[in-house]
């Protein structure tokens, strides 16, 4: 385009009106191309968004729902070991049990485990007494579930404890009622 303009100025001379370029002087870039057209037509009307809130439906409990057997609130074993949340033991319709920790948190520690303990509460390792190891702790915070081994006699255990194996110390416990 610049070359064509310079040729036109050079050939027409200074001060005279520029000559109209001939067809051979016009480049492809100088000719506008037609814009592409679309043959698209929507086949469905636009989606209408409802303006009212959907109605809430109440879920009716079923016979297969789990039943709460025991429950307790976590507390820290001492000022250095803290714990919070709720421990709940459920029985399913099939007779199996599981432990649910809800809104749960404990201070951190290595190699933490969940134990069922025969005593109602115990902060010292020497007082731990007889226990049943349920599982390694999945996380130091958040809701979590643990399967309870079959044939566990829950009447033999009075509390749930979070226990640090390397240091042999209870971090937190929940007395179950």
């Amino acid at each position: 385009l610049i070359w064509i303009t310079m040729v036109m100025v050079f050939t027409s001379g200074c001060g005279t009106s520029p000559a109209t370029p001939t067809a051979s002087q016009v480049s492809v870039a100088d000719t506008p191309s037609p814009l592409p057209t679309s043959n698209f037509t929507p086949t469905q009307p636009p989606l209408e968004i409802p303006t009212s809130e959907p109605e809430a439906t109440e879920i009716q409990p079923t016979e297969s729902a789990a039943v709460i057997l025991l429950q307790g609130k976590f507390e820290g074993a001492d000022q250095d070991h803290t714990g919070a949340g709720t421990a709940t033991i459920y029985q399913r319709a099939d007779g199996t049990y599981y432990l649910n920790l809800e809104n749960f948190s404990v201070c951190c520690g290595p190699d933490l485990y969940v134990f069922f303990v025969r005593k109602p509460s115990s902060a010292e390792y020497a007082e731990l007494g007889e226990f049943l190891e349920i599982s390694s702790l999945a996380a130091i915070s958040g809701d979590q579930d643990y399967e309870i081994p079959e044939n566990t006699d829950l009447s033999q255990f009075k509390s749930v404890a979070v226990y640090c194996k390397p240091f042999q110390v209870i971090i937190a416990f929940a007395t179950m009622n």
Side-chain angles (χ1 to χ4, degrees):
L1 183 60
I2 294 173
W3 180 79
I4 292 173
T5 305
M6 289 174 56
V7 169
M8 289 181 359
V9 169
F10 180 72
T11 56
S12 64
C14 292
T16 61
S17 64
T20 304
T22 63
S24 63
Q25 293 174 321
V26 176
S27 72
V28 176
D30 291 336
T31 58
S33 62
L35 293 175
T37 59
S38 171
N39 293 334
F40 176 75
T41 54
T43 58
Q44 296 177 344
L47 179 64
E48 291 185 27
I49 299 173
T51 56
S52 63
E53 292 290 320
E55 251 184 65
T57 57
E58 186 176 326
I59 298 173
Q60 297 296 322
T62 63
E63 289 182 41
S64 64
V67 176
I68 295 174
L69 296 180
L70 298 166
Q71 194 168 47
K73 298 271 185 204
F74 274 100
E75 55 186 273
D78 57 38
Q79 66 185 19
D80 296 324
H81 302 102
T82 60
T86 304
T88 307
I89 296 175
Y90 290 92
Q91 182 178 21
R92 296 182 186 101
D94 66 2
T96 60
Y97 303 107
Y98 72 96
L99 171 67
N100 170 261
L101 307 184
E102 187 175 11
N103 298 318
F104 174 75
S105 67
V106 291
C107 65
C108 56
D111 212 13
L112 298 179
Y113 281 78
V114 178
F115 284 0
F116 283 174
V117 182
R118 288 190 184 231
K119 295 184 178 189
S121 64
S122 178
E124 299 295 324
Y125 175 68
E127 297 176 23
L128 186 60
E130 293 182 47
F131 61 87
L132 172 65
E133 183 177 303
I134 299 300
S135 174
S136 62
L137 187 66
I140 61 169
S141 66
D143 296 350
Q144 41 201 289
D145 292 329
Y146 298 92
E147 291 297 317
I148 297 173
E150 287 186 38
N151 303 320
T152 299
D153 183 0
L154 295 174
S155 68
Q156 299 296 310
F157 302 102
K158 305 297 183 211
S159 63
V160 174
V162 176
Y163 183 75
C164 175
K165 279 188 176 181
F167 292 102
Q168 300 179 343
V169 64
I170 293 176
I171 304 296
F173 61 90
T175 302
M176 304 302 283
N177 297 311

